[in-house]
């Protein structure tokens, strides 16, 4: 992997996320110098899913790095929906908590939508609450979903031209594909794309993706995007992170993106690696949302 990280056309999400964390840490120092307490992020983790454990651990570690307080609340996967909703209510009411996340996926007996809707919008630092999604669509200040806003921020900071470009997004989930397609179509200098949103029912998918100046792949199918689907010179943003068995890794698995990197990288003008592309940006944007929640930047504090 060492050669990948020096390739000039690689989009280094890890470094960009580090830059953002340094900026956030400086903002925290300023905040605490005025006598305010540091921002406080809480995370609810239900069960023992390996991926979720890793994501939450990384989020908590990132909080420490920028000087936030963090609280991790763990529950077994037999917690009832009512008990989980009560925990959400307690975090909503706790003035010492600025923002919190409920790590997804949740066990099948819990209605994730109900849990998300129970989170107070001004503490919804994942940006999944319908109030935040609605405000985002309307172009009003909102806590934006972290992965989509991370993709926009990554392209902006890497100097990737988006205005007027045709962006094909593959995948229409509420947490990645749909919101990123909306953000990229906004009348903003860091967006202004012409967006096509594809999904599992899209006809002639390869033909459509081949027309893209920018491809955002968010489907969760390892190496789905192959060279024949990519116009030479396209920018390729790979959101996919699927765990696949890998006997060469101590952990026993490695992360695979939705793009066949070996085939597509030589064609692309810029491309994100997996890992080290979009993933670190998601955490950086979660931290940024927490700072915005703590300072009342979106929803003024009462
Ligand atoms: P999801 O909820 O499972 O949605 C997948 C989307 O892909 C759906 O819209 C689905 O279409 C579409 N799709 C599936 N197979 C397809 C095919 N053959 N052709 C066209 N479209 C297809 O997934 P998600 O939560 O958006 O996550 C997608 C990937 O991103 C996963 O690997 C996930 O781990 C990763 N992810 C990474 C980060 C990060 O920080 N790096 C954050 C979030 C997610 P239908 O709607 O028609 O079913």
């Amino acid at each position: 992997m060492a050669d990948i990280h020096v390739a000039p056309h690689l989009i280094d999400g890890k470094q960009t996320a580090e830059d953002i964390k340094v900026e956030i840490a400086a903002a925290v120092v300023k905040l605490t110098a005025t006598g305010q307490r540091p921002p406080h992020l809480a995370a609810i983790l239900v069960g023992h899913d390996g991926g979720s454990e890793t994501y939450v651990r990384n989020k908590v570690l990132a909080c420490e790095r920028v000087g936030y307080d963090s609280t991790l609340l763990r529950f077994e996967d037999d917690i009832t929906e009512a008990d989980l909703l009560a925990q959400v209510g307690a975090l909503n009411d706790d003035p010492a908590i600025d923002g919190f996340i409920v790590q997804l996926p949740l066990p099948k007996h819990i209605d994730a939508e109900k849990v998300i809707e129970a989170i107070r919008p001004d503490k919804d630092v994942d940006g999944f609450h319908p109030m935040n999604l609605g405000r985002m669509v309307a172009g009003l200040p909102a806590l934006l979903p972290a992965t989509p806003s991370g993709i926009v921020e990554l392209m902006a900071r890497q100097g990737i031209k988006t205005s007027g470009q045709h962006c094909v997004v593959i995948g229409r989930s509420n947490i990645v594909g749909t919101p990123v397609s909306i953000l990229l179509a906004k009348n903003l200098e860091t967006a202004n794309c012409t967006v096509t949103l594809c999904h599992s029912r899209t006809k002639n998918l390869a033909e459509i993706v081949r027309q893209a100046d920018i491809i955002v792949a968010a489907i969760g199918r390892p190496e789905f995007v192959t060279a024949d689907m990519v116009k030479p010179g396209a920018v390729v943003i790979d959101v996919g992170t699927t765990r696949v068995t890998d006997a060469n890794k101590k952990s026993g698995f490695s992360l695979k993106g939705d793009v066949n990197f070996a085939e597509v990288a030589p064609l692309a003008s810029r491309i994100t690696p997996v890992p080290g592309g979009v993933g670190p940006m998601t955490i950086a944007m979660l931290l940024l949302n927490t700072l915005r929640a703590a300072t009342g930047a979106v929803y003024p504090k009462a």
Side-chain angles (χ1 to χ4, degrees):
M1 289 293 277
D3 52 338
I4 285 178
H5 288 281
V6 294
H9 75 319
L10 257 207
I11 301 172
D12 190 344
K14 205 169 161 194
Q15 184 56 53
T16 306
E18 282 307 313
D19 296 345
I20 294 170
K21 282 189 221 165
V22 168
E23 292 164 18
I24 294 173
V28 173
V29 169
K30 260 194 183 166
L31 202 68
T32 50
T34 65
Q36 292 191 57
R37 62 165 176 74
H40 191 164
L41 174 73
I44 291 181
L45 175 61
V46 178
H48 298 273
D49 174 76
S52 295
E53 298 227 9
T54 307
Y55 295 140
V56 169
R57 194 173 51 242
N58 288 341
K59 288 168 188 174
V60 169
L61 284 173
C63 283
E64 287 170 13
R65 278 269 332 276
V66 298
Y68 289 0
D69 292 331
S70 65
T71 299
L72 173 59
L73 299 168
R74 296 200 64 148
F75 303 99
E76 291 303 319
D77 51 19
D78 59 357
I79 186 172
T80 64
E81 186 178 279
D83 284 348
L84 186 58
L85 288 170
Q87 294 295 336
V88 167
L91 291 175
N92 280 342
D93 294 341
D94 186 345
I97 301 292
D98 296 302
F100 64 99
I101 59 161
V102 179
Q103 184 65 42
L104 301 177
L106 290 169
K108 288 205 165 35
H109 66 278
I110 296 175
D111 181 347
E113 295 301 331
K114 207 165 161 181
V115 174
I116 290 168
E117 282 201 66
I119 298 171
R120 247 173 61 172
D122 60 335
K123 293 193 177 190
D124 167 43
V125 286
D126 257 340
F128 295 160
H129 191 284
M131 168 84 95
N132 280 313
L133 290 176
R135 291 178 67 90
M136 176 191 78
V137 173
L140 297 168
L143 291 168
L144 299 174
T147 304
S149 59
I151 292 168
V152 174
E153 186 72 21
L154 183 58
M155 288 202 282
R157 288 189 182 233
Q158 293 271 337
I160 292 168
K161 180 180 175 234
T162 52
S163 191
Q165 300 297 92
H166 181 200
C167 177
V168 175
V169 177
I170 323 173
R172 59 176 162 185
S173 74
N174 282 345
I175 65 167
V176 188
T178 293
V180 81
S181 69
I182 291 165
L183 288 178
L184 284 169
K186 285 274 166 218
N187 185 3
L188 294 169
E189 204 36 52
T190 53
N192 273 329
C193 288
T194 303
V195 178
T196 304
L197 179 56
C198 300
H199 45 75
S200 67
R201 308 296 172 91
T202 298
K203 283 186 190 163
N204 307 324
L205 183 99
E207 198 181 298
I208 294 169
V209 178
R210 244 190 329 268
Q211 293 168 26
D213 303 307
I214 300 170
I215 299 167
V216 178
I219 50 182
R221 292 184 181 244
E223 304 191 327
F224 179 89
V225 177
T226 45
D228 58 308
M229 297 164 78
V230 179
K231 177 171 78 176
V235 172
V236 181
I237 308 291
D238 189 351
V239 188
T241 47
T242 306
R243 282 182 164 206
V244 295
T245 310
D246 186 344
N248 296 321
K249 290 275 159 104
K250 216 164 77 183
S251 59
F253 69 86
S254 55
L255 284 185
K256 275 258 179 270
D258 288 340
V259 175
N260 184 323
F261 189 91
E263 269 186 41
V264 171
L267 280 175
S269 62
R270 306 291 306 276
I271 185 166
T272 57
V274 175
V278 173
M281 288 300 292
T282 298
I283 294 188
M285 299 314 277
L286 172 71
L287 296 174
L288 201 55
N289 269 351
T290 305
L291 182 66
R292 297 172 82 215
T295 55
V298 178
Y299 298 97
K301 295 271 190 195

